[in-house]
Amino acid sequence: MANPMVRSFLQAVSSEEVTPPLRVVQMEGLAVLKIIKHCNEFSPALVTGQLLGLDVGSVLEVTNCFPFPTREEDEEVEADGANYQLEMMRCLREVNVDNNTVGWYQSTLLGSFQTVELIETFMNYQENIRRCVCIIYDPSRSSQGALALKALKLTDSFMDLYRNNNFTGEKLREKKLSWVDIFEEIPIKVSNSALASAFMTELEPESPVAQCDYDRLKLSTAPYVERNLEFLIDCMEDLSAEQNKFQYYYRNLSRQQAQQQAWLQKRRVENMARKAAGEEPLPEEDPSNPIFKPIPEPSRLDSYLITNQISNYCNQINGVAGQNFNRLYMMKALQEN
Amino acid sequence: MAVLQFFPPSSPIVSARLHPVVLFNICDCYVRRPDQADRVIGTLLGSVSDGVVEIKNSYAVPHNESADQVALDVEYHRNMYMSHLKVNPKEVLVGWFSTGFGVSGGSSLIHDFYVKELKDSVKDLKDAQNSVPPLHLTVDTGFRNGEASIKAYVSVNLSLGDRPLAAQFQEIPLDLRMIEAERVGFDILKTTVVDKLPNDLEGMEASMERLYALIDDIYKYVDDVVEGRAAPDNDIGRFLADTLALVPKISPAAFDKVFNDRIQDNLALVYLSSLIRAQLGIAEKLNTAAQIL
């Protein structure tokens, strides 16, 4: 008697798999250390690399990674890059490393990573892999003592819009997509194999204070904050340039509307005259007239990305300011004693 | 009378320094090894400076081991080496690793192979500094003595007159300070699962708690010494006095001024960033507002 709980193979194959939404990215300590090492070595240049791992349910596991060589010139690098990737994947397969690409990582400078290139790369990856993620590492923030690792993904609604390349105000209002909805940040969990954690427990130094504490308790954060502010100011300038573009567009639009109305009035008057004279009325539309040509609406993608960057800088500044307050009050307490 | 001669290596290796990435990589390779293999063998990459070898990267090489024979996949090793050199041309071959305790017979064969590889790679790179013989690292994943023993060896050729006799693996001091791992935070790397990466303020809190605990300890110690419960130690006392003298001596008025200035700077930053966020909110509303035509 067939157990009703057990589905036949045919049933299992034919039923659609519902992919649970990605909730957490689980990274191995090895991958974290490798990313940090690679990014730190080449900072301030920006580097990228590939992530390997497994896609399990609502968890995306990243178990290993390898760096990409930096491209000096752009000629015939496409073939080289692809060859390198294939070679590495093949070699890693031989030592039983997961051969499955789950995304890529890149380093950034103070958080200015939201660019169109990032979105393009995402779209490229998304075509081949069902679920991919991008890990962003910020070496400059990590020198402040925080581990600046972020896992990013494009939201589905944004991807649909991007595919249609349609960023007009109408569409965005329809989908209720604002600038926060472009990227989705996924929390990162770190896991280690039992062997690695055994070694680390053994090798942990006896001292109660670690290097990260020294970094965090430093009083001089001025260079970091200064650079942050510089970038922020640049972004604000970009944003105001975008705003000007929009203003220009709206002004043109309203001027065109006025012209259209005027022309329509004239046509109507003419038609009245013609009707009085008994002739055929002229059509009220004239597509060949240049004032009826629709003006293309500027895409809002850039301004959204810039807004994202600005908000990122603001967050970072807030974080540093908070830490500064802590440190200053501590200094004050020390001084009083 | 035959004399046993030690040939010291051409440029003496004083010590080695291991980066935590390498250790993690070795552990990962060991966990993923094929079932019939007893141990994992691989290449070490890094750089040499002033007799200190820094081991920065590594990769496992598939091998076949039987009772008296060891076969290493040379093609694989060369391919991976080329690939790694593409990313970082400064990380060169510095030796090899194997898991397992102590140095076994087959190890000397593999070591000879790596000596030859190093000579070949030197010809490729024309790096005069690289006349250092390769290093052999053993990582005891079996925890044989109940502790983690990671040792580094250099091979020295023993010869009787002109005939080579044996190779002696001499241990060299290995520096296992994990500064990079400390930066990441040992809590993250020590446990098997970490649920959340700490953000700025949480990390700050943890650091301050540690500092507080330290100050508490010192306080207790000083109290004990003063009341005669603990034996006074001149060195510690001097150290404490030096540390306390590091707090700069400025008049309260001057300190207040500096302090207030800094606080106001920070407050201005916070105000600025809140202002900008408000601006962003307004801009967004304006941009996507319905156009009334």
Side-chain angles (χ1 to χ4, degrees), chain A residues 43-181:
Chain A
S43 115
L46 303 182
V47 291
T48 57
Q50 184 96 305
L51 295 172
L52 305 166
L54 294 165
D55 183 3
V56 182
S58 68
V59 177
L60 190 69
E61 289 188 24
V62 176
T63 50
N64 213 330
C65 62
F66 62 84
F68 285 144
T70 43
R71 303 180 170 183
E72 299 293 318
E73 315 87 39
D74 272 9
E75 340 114 359
E76 11 156 311
V77 185
E78 290 302 321
D80 270 354
N83 272 344
Y84 170 82
Q85 218 172 334
L86 286 173
E87 188 66 36
M88 279 303 266
M89 303 268 279
R90 195 178 59 81
C91 290
L92 287 174
R93 178 77 198 91
E94 283 189 34
V95 278
N96 290 339
V97 175
D98 298 323
N99 209 10
N100 191 19
T101 311
V102 293
W104 84 100
Y105 68 84
Q106 66 183 62
S107 71
T108 175
L109 197 57
L110 277 188
S112 57
F113 54 85
Q114 292 100 333
T115 55
V116 188
E117 286 90 16
L118 186 68
I119 299 186
E120 302 259 315
T121 322
F122 247 116
M123 301 305 287
N124 277 340
Y125 268 88
Q126 198 71 14
E127 279 165 26
N128 301 334
I129 318 170
R130 207 174 43 165
R131 270 224 287 242
C132 69
V133 78
C134 173
I135 304 248
I136 309 270
Y137 176 69
D138 191 352
S140 45
R141 228 182 97 200
S142 296
S143 66
Q144 299 286 317
L147 182 58
L149 265 184
K150 260 205 268 238
L152 283 186
K153 193 169 94 75
L154 286 182
T155 51
D156 294 328
S157 43
F158 178 74
M159 278 199 291
D160 291 332
L161 266 190
Y162 191 74
R163 274 198 202 108
N164 303 335
N165 211 1
N166 195 343
F167 284 107
T168 56
E170 278 297 316
K171 276 263 178 257
L172 292 171
R173 264 197 306 282
E174 250 175 61
K175 297 238 179 184
K176 291 201 202 317
L177 192 77
S178 82
W179 55 269
V180 293
D181 295 327

Side-chain angles (χ1 to χ4, degrees), chain A residues 41 173 190 197 213 300, chain B residues 88 190 194 207 210 287-288:
Chain A
E41 257 172 24
R173 264 197 306 282
V190 177
S197 71
D213 297 319
R300 292 196 157 70
Chain B
N88 200 342
K190 211 172 37 164
V194 173
S207 293
R210 275 197 274 258
N287 276 342
T288 53

